[in-house]
Amino acid sequence: SERRGISVGIRDNDVGSVYSPFSYGQSIGGSFLIQWRDGRLSRGNLDGNSLAIIDQVLWTARQAAYDDPDAAQFLGPQTTHDVPLWSADIPPLFAERSGYLLDVARRLQDVARRYEAQTLNGGVGAGTGEHWLRTSRGLQLTTQSTSFGCSASFDGLIGESVSRRDVPTLAEIDAQIAIAGEYLRALRVDADARGSGKRLVVLHPNVAYSLWSYFVWSNLGGAAIYHGQSPFTIDDFTARRQVFRDDLTARVDPWQPLGVASFRYTAEGVPSEPTVYIDHGRLMQPIVDLKYAKRLNLAPTTPPGGNESVFFESRHDAAWDALRPTIDEAILVLSVLGLHTQDRSSGNYSLATSQALLVRDGAIAGRVKATLTGNFFENLRDESLRLVRFAGQHPPGFALPIAVELDAGG
């Protein structure tokens, strides 16, 4: 693949300082999979200097060869869906419209001042890329794509970002980053709340999807199922076993035009397609690459490309702005600590909140410290579970009763 990128950073309120300069870069990189005549395999990475030392690269790869017959799969020609991933308004940012990046940086500073943030860190950048995938069996796939992103973190407490394949307006950026500003105001106030027990908890979309990805996507993976590291077995998928509430559906759609997580084909060259993994609470199919598709005697599937490619559906679905005024008391969890230390296969968790807010009588009352304890699989079977749609967020949040231990203060 070949990529060009242009960016400017903000470090401790300063735009384009020595620690976050205005920069332009161009890079070439890639990876390879080789099957030698003896059937063994080698993998490796390439960069712009690899061609000059290709003999050394191949010699090193040969010395590291390993046996894995099921991974020795090389696709021939494939037909893929034409997913638009290129926006014509990105290339001008490298030339006559490069000043727009500074306009964005200034707008981020404006938002920080509006919310009286003492420290702003973040930046803005854009990129173009071209990706090639080739095999000795005739696979020839090429993708051109664009990207735009900006982010802002206020006082090291809270942040927001914008990620697109086209160029957003300053107003769109302002509206998204201002969400963090509103949370910043609330986090400055400590709420009076103590005690323990089950309470209504609203998991912000970032938290909800992180839990879903950690406990569900990982356990739907072919490797986990094949090696018995998942609570689900291949027979569960064959039987369409009911594992979550009967109205909950999760599907992947990688064909969204200019979707930041859209893609035409996987890293192995398997054409992407919309795929349902959970249908009304039932297991439909595991997430399998070529290797584990062969081991499990299945067709390879389209993996989630990021939360923007994942769609959730439920009969209990509400907008946060409509739900919040109806709440007597709840905890809004913006981020958690220690998810990576939890037991994936059991679904059990005990997580401290790094940022959480008390909602009382329909209004944000201030910051609280909390520890959440529960089982995510049971959460997804709870009749009280509802999806909550937040402005500026693609995936939904989750609202449901969870065991909470509160300690007031921020």
Side-chain angles (χ1 to χ4, degrees):
S1 62
E2 184 173 6
R3 178 171 176 77
R4 291 193 306 154
I6 187 170
S7 65
V8 61
I10 304 173
R11 176 75 177 270
D12 296 335
N13 304 322
D14 292 332
V15 175
S17 70
V18 64
Y19 299 106
S20 54
F22 198 102
S23 63
Y24 168 84
Q26 187 166 354
S27 62
I28 297 176
S31 60
F32 62 82
L33 171 64
I34 298 175
Q35 183 178 28
W36 306 97
R37 287 193 177 91
D38 61 4
R40 306 185 80 199
L41 300 176
S42 294
R43 294 181 184 272
N45 296 315
L46 303 169
D47 59 29
N49 299 316
S50 297
L51 284 178
I53 55 169
I54 192 64
D55 290 340
Q56 179 182 338
V57 170
L58 293 176
W59 183 87
T60 302
R62 185 68 176 104
Q63 301 311 302
Y66 58 94
D67 290 312
D68 191 354
D70 292 334
Q73 299 192 57
F74 303 84
L75 294 178
Q78 301 290 314
T79 300
T80 64
H81 184 74
D82 185 16
V83 185
L85 303 175
W86 178 277
S87 179
D89 58 1
I90 294 291
L93 296 178
F94 289 81
E96 70 272 14
R97 206 186 172 201
S98 60
Y100 185 70
L101 299 183
L102 292 175
D103 293 339
V104 172
R106 284 190 286 267
R107 181 58 66 96
L108 298 180
Q109 290 178 310
D110 290 344
V111 177
R113 282 190 291 268
R114 187 189 318 156
Y115 290 96
E116 300 178 332
Q118 299 301 306
T119 305
L120 167 65
N121 288 289
V124 55
T128 64
E130 189 165 8
H131 177 268
W132 303 271
L133 185 57
R134 304 286 188 267
T135 71
S136 56
R137 292 186 173 172
L139 179 69
Q140 296 192 44
L141 297 173
T142 303
T143 295
Q144 291 184 318
S145 62
T146 55
S147 63
F148 179 97
C150 67
S151 64
S153 173
F154 299 144
D155 295 345
L157 289 176
I158 196 75
E160 264 294 344
S161 63
V162 175
S163 184
R164 300 267 290 261
R165 290 197 184 274
D166 59 352
V167 180
T169 65
L170 290 176
E172 290 174 320
I173 292 170
D174 191 300
Q176 184 72 27
I177 302 303
I179 293 172
E182 294 296 331
Y183 286 138
L184 179 66
R185 283 178 174 167
L187 289 167
R188 290 184 176 131
V189 179
D190 289 339
D192 181 17
R194 296 180 184 274
S196 61
K198 275 208 168 183
R199 295 171 180 257
L200 177 62
V201 172
V202 181
L203 302 176
H204 184 274
N206 291 339
V207 178
Y209 188 77
S210 293
L211 287 165
W212 177 277
S213 181
Y214 188 82
F215 288 114
V216 180
W217 287 147
S218 64
N219 282 308
L220 295 189
I225 293 165
Y226 180 81
H227 293 291
Q229 298 168 341
S230 168
F232 312 128
T233 68
I234 193 62
D235 290 339
D236 291 334
F237 292 90
T238 302
R240 301 288 192 261
R241 178 185 160 203
Q242 187 90 40
V243 294
F244 303 137
R245 204 175 66 192
D246 63 7
D247 66 320
L248 186 61
T249 293
R251 59 186 175 87
V252 172
D253 186 354
W255 290 357
Q256 297 294 305
L258 295 182
V260 70
S262 294
F263 56 100
R264 291 173 50 208
Y265 50 86
T266 70
E268 297 176 311
V270 177
S272 69
E273 62 180 353
T275 304
V276 177
Y277 284 103
I278 304 293
D279 187 9
H280 291 82
R282 295 184 180 276
L283 296 172
M284 298 303 292
Q285 52 196 327
I287 304 170
V288 287
D289 58 10
L290 290 173
K291 174 179 174 177
Y292 284 97
K294 181 177 181 179
R295 288 187 171 183
L296 295 170
N297 194 30
L298 298 169
T301 58
T302 299
N307 67 41
E308 296 87 353
S309 69
V310 180
F311 293 80
F312 294 92
E313 299 165 10
S314 167
R315 64 175 175 264
H316 298 300
D317 195 316
W320 172 237
D321 288 343
L323 176 64
R324 190 187 65 249
T326 70
I327 293 175
D328 293 329
E329 187 168 292
I331 307 298
L332 171 60
V333 179
L334 302 176
S335 59
V336 294
L337 300 171
L339 179 57
H340 67 285
T341 67
Q342 309 302 300
D343 181 4
R344 291 179 195 268
S345 61
S346 72
N348 293 328
Y349 61 84
S350 180
L351 298 166
T353 62
S354 50
Q355 307 292 356
L357 295 168
L358 177 68
V359 182
R360 181 175 285 156
D361 297 328
I364 303 294
R367 183 180 184 181
V368 292
K369 289 182 178 179
T371 300
L372 312 179
T373 304
N375 181 282
F376 194 63
F377 301 141
E378 293 178 3
N379 293 158
L380 296 175
R381 290 190 285 268
D382 195 314
E383 287 300 318
S384 302
L385 172 69
R386 68 175 65 187
L387 307 185
V388 185
R389 307 290 174 175
F390 283 69
Q393 300 289 330
H394 171 76
F398 295 158
L400 74 161
I402 294 177
V404 177
E405 183 174 353
L406 282 170
D407 177 14

